[in-house]
Amino acid sequence: GQQVMQIPQYQHVQEGEDFTTYCNSSTTLSNIQWYKQRPGGHPVFLIQLVKSGEVKKQKRLTFQFGEAKKNSSLHITATQTTDVGTYFCAERDDKIIFGKGTRLHILP
Amino acid sequence: KAGVTQTPRYLIKTRGQQVTLSCSPISGHRSVSWYQQTPGQGLQFLFEYFSETQRNKGNFPGRFSGRQFSNSRSEMNVSTLELGDSALYLCASRERTSLNPSSYNEQFFGPGTRLTVL
């Protein structure tokens, strides 16, 4: 069935280091969405990418959609303690399929 | 605007019982989706309601059902509870301006209902 695979599952970084999570699919994605869920919280929508090769930035966050629309990445520059949480990618077609998420832990 | 609200926030039930969870969307949002979140399976889509009709459905057994009222509030029901139904149940609302499922508006999640089945 339709699946989006996310790697890594966990990531520990020192505060100030960069962080990247990847989302991959064996089939072409119609779009990709990214969400952040803080510990004990609920998912919060970050962004949606639709076009092949699209790149969007939100402050220290950079989102990319692959040329073949089969992968996407979220890159955080100079992580801060407020970046802690789980980052999910998801494809929305008639249903929404979430990846398993990457849990980011920041070491002070 | 007030955010998405869900009641109750916590619930403990025993196997075989049934449960009804409630979700009030953001004012003006007509689409409500439900998700199950567990450590093992992650976030899984249950169903989406729009204009009191179920528009999309995930791969869950018929024990999971829902409905939407004319004011867009939604309820989901799980009958004959199993231990594996223990999860965080999240609802999310969005403005949906057409019946085309690929027309997209950002969805906003509620805080969830934490269901524990003993």
Side-chain angles (χ1 to χ4, degrees):
Chain A
Q2 193 181 14
Q3 276 192 335
V4 284
M5 309 299 291
Q6 247 185 292
I7 54 171
Q9 191 174 359
Y10 301 96
Q11 184 83 57
H12 293 75
V13 300
Q14 207 75 37
E15 187 175 6
E17 290 182 337
D18 293 356
F19 159 77
T20 305
T21 174
Y22 300 90
C23 186
N24 299 298
S25 172
S26 58
T27 59
T28 302
L29 300 165
S30 55
N31 59 70
I32 198 82
Q33 301 173 5
W34 286 94
Y35 293 80
K36 175 184 178 182
Q37 185 173 20
R38 292 179 185 271
H42 54 272
V44 174
F45 173 83
L46 294 175
I47 208 157
Q48 173 170 274
L49 305 174
V50 178
K51 299 177 186 175
S52 167
E54 190 170 12
V55 178
K56 288 188 177 180
K57 292 191 176 186
Q58 290 179 351
K59 298 183 180 178
R60 295 179 293 104
L61 278 61
T62 302
F63 304 85
Q64 290 191 315
F65 203 5
E67 292 289 343
K69 298 181 74 172
K70 288 186 175 182
N71 57 75
S72 180
S73 65
L74 157 59
H75 180 81
I76 302 178
T77 304
T79 54
Q80 300 175 0
T81 54
T82 53
D83 296 325
V84 164
T86 301
Y87 293 84
F88 295 95
C89 64
E91 182 196 15
R92 179 169 201 107
D93 199 348
D94 59 337
K95 304 175 185 178
I96 182 164
I97 306 296
F98 279 88
K100 290 290 178 73
T102 296
R103 185 175 296 179
L104 172 63
H105 182 67
I106 309 287
L107 303 169
Chain B
K1 282 184 182 178
V4 178
T5 58
Q6 290 187 247
T7 56
R9 293 293 311 277
Y10 302 91
L11 206 48
I12 300 175
K13 292 283 188 179
T14 56
R15 278 182 299 174
Q17 286 187 309
Q18 74 163 15
V19 66
T20 299
L21 312 181
S22 180
C23 172
S24 292
I26 290 173
S27 176
H29 287 191
R30 297 169 61 195
S31 167
V32 174
S33 297
W34 287 90
Y35 300 85
Q36 181 196 65
Q37 187 173 31
T38 60
Q41 298 300 316
L43 264 166
Q44 294 187 286
F45 173 76
L46 280 155
F47 25 67
E48 178 183 16
Y49 284 86
F50 175 72
S51 291
E52 302 177 61
T53 303
Q54 188 180 93
R55 300 295 176 175
N56 295 300
K57 190 176 188 304
N59 298 322
F60 278 81
R63 300 185 297 108
F64 292 81
S65 63
R67 59 178 176 167
Q68 187 179 36
F69 302 95
S70 58
N71 61 358
S72 295
R73 191 177 70 84
S74 178
E75 288 181 347
M76 70 162 280
N77 185 78
V78 188
S79 63
T80 319
L81 284 166
E82 301 176 0
L83 295 178
D85 297 332
S86 293
L88 180 65
Y89 289 89
L90 294 156
C91 91
S93 77
R94 64 184 178 109
E95 294 181 76
R96 182 169 168 165
T97 55
S98 77
L99 295 180
N100 181 353
S102 62
S103 70
Y104 174 74
N105 300 98
E106 175 182 348
Q107 65 177 352
F108 297 83
F109 281 83
T113 295
R114 173 77 61 186
L115 172 64
T116 301
V117 182
L118 302 175

